[in-house]
Every structure is written in structure tokens, then in C-alpha cells.
Amino acid sequence: MPPEDIVTAFAPFETLASTLIGHATENDDGSHDIAHILRVFRNAMRIHAAEGGDGRLLAAAVLLHDCVAVEKDSPLRAQASKLAADKARGILADLGWMAAEIEAVAHAIETHSFSAGLPPVSLEAKILQDADRLDAIGMVGAARCFYVAGRMRSALYDPFDPRAEARALDDRRFAIDHFAAKLFKLADGFQTATGQALAADRHRRLETFLDLFLDEIQGLSG
């Protein structure tokens, strides 16, 4: 059984969390750990409160959306959400869920990932995608970016061309290249009105973070 404080954090779906939390993560990736799952859950519940949808299906999709771990630099990265959806199908089938409910959860999981490039159709799928992408921008998104760069042994930035003005972006070599290569593109793709509003605020924070970071490394201020 997971610790009670973890389960209660997923209120009002504590019973569901108690059942599924053991399947939520596979490895030691701190950018896709229980803390990430909980942040995505809180984002999803905030959007759900405004947009509607089936909260139970959404909570299940959140809890299982990263149930298969694939590193960012793996050639299987684009398949991660499909692998997670397939695993979720098996988990929920073993628990006796109805076929339609299983497919609704699997669809949300399979379409949540930026790497998969699949459009979410159901409201629950749109909310999960928005909730997960909110955790990739803003201050937490910046922190996760550098954490993942450390796991991949990337440098923080190119000391001679940090803005990539005379070279191609390469976010496998330089952490801050990931801002322009992906993170700054996310805010334009949110699916719900509530998600869009939250994303706009976090996008501004991310821009401010990068501006201050560049200011410091280039010695533009005191």
C-alpha cells in the first residue's frame, strides 16, 4: 500500500490512487516521478473544475500517463505514450474496468505526449494534454529542463553562442536550446480555454527566466 499522505493528495480520488499509484512510475527519473504525477493531477483537476469531463477517467489517465519510462534521448521516445496506453489497458482490464472506460483512459494517455504528435479528441484527453504540458513550462518547466539535461549529460549552454544566433539549435548538447526548440512552442497548442489561460501566464514566466539567465551568463548587468 502507498503511504496515506500520497493517497490523500489525490482527493477526491483517494481509492483510485491507492489502486493505481503503484503503477504510476517505473524508474528514478525525477522529472517523471510521483511529484510530477501529483502536479499534473492538480493541473488537471483545476482545468476539469472549469471545463467539465469525467473526473474518474481523467484521474486514472493522470495516474497512468507515465507508467512506462522512456528516457528523452531514447529512440523509443516517440512511442512512450503508446506503450503507456497499452500497459494501462492491461492494468485496468485486470481491475475489471469496462472496455469503453479503458479505451477512454488509453486514448487520453496515448495523445498526451508532445513527442507522439497525436490529436486528443475527448475532453478528458484534451485536459490531460494541457495538464501535462503546463508542467513543462513556467518555473517548474525550467527546473525539469535542467534536470533532464543533467541526466543526458548535456551542457547548460554554448558559452560562445548561447542564443544560437550563428548555429542550429541542439537541445541534446545544450540545455537552454530546449527553450526555443520545444518549450516556447507549447503555449500555442493548448486544447482548453482554461489551459490556454494558465499556459499564457507560465509562458511569460519561462520567457522571464530565460532573459534573466542570459543576462547573467553574458554579464549584461551587475
Side-chain angles (χ1 to χ4, degrees):
M1 290 291 290
E4 185 177 349
D5 58 340
I6 294 178
V7 171
T8 56
F10 288 89
F13 298 102
E14 298 96 330
T15 301
L16 184 63
S18 179
T19 302
L20 297 180
I21 201 73
H23 302 285
T25 60
E26 278 191 336
N27 64 11
D28 63 348
D29 181 359
S31 67
H32 294 90
D33 56 5
I34 292 300
H36 165 69
I37 300 294
L38 181 56
R39 290 192 304 270
V40 174
F41 175 77
R42 288 170 174 163
N43 291 339
M45 290 300 104
R46 185 173 180 181
I47 299 170
H48 165 61
E51 302 285 343
D54 188 313
R56 176 172 168 268
L57 296 180
L58 178 59
V62 169
L63 285 159
L64 297 176
H65 79 279
D66 281 334
C67 66
V68 172
V70 180
E71 292 285 353
K72 290 288 187 183
D73 56 352
S74 168
L76 295 176
R77 183 60 194 168
Q79 300 177 42
S81 61
K82 183 182 186 305
L83 295 172
D86 289 342
K87 182 176 179 179
R89 286 186 178 95
I91 293 168
L92 297 178
D94 288 344
L95 293 172
W97 280 47
M98 295 175 59
E101 294 178 324
I102 293 172
E103 286 309 307
V105 172
H107 169 70
I109 293 172
E110 189 165 1
T111 60
H112 88 274
S113 170
F114 181 87
S115 301
L118 299 173
V121 175
S122 69
L123 178 55
E124 293 78 19
K126 292 176 181 180
I127 292 174
L128 175 59
Q129 187 181 99
D130 282 3
D132 187 62
R133 292 186 182 186
L134 281 172
D135 206 50
I137 55 179
M139 295 296 96
V140 172
R144 292 178 72 209
C145 174
F146 289 115
Y147 173 89
V148 172
R151 287 179 69 91
M152 293 172 60
R153 300 183 182 276
S154 304
L156 291 180
Y157 59 93
D158 180 344
F160 305 106
D161 188 6
R163 298 177 184 271
E165 294 173 326
R167 61 175 177 84
L169 291 168
D170 187 352
D171 57 356
R172 290 178 180 264
R173 291 183 63 199
F174 307 115
I176 67 167
D177 281 23
H178 195 58
F179 285 62
K182 176 182 175 180
L183 301 186
F184 285 150
K185 298 176 182 178
L186 293 179
D188 290 335
F190 276 68
Q191 301 289 326
T192 67
T194 305
Q196 289 169 9
L198 294 170
D201 182 54
R202 294 198 187 190
H203 181 84
R204 287 190 291 269
R205 296 181 194 179
L206 199 61
E207 289 179 322
T208 299
F209 176 91
L210 184 60
D211 287 343
L212 294 173
F213 182 90
L214 290 168
D215 179 80
E216 290 188 11
I217 66 174
Q218 295 179 306
L220 299 178
S221 63

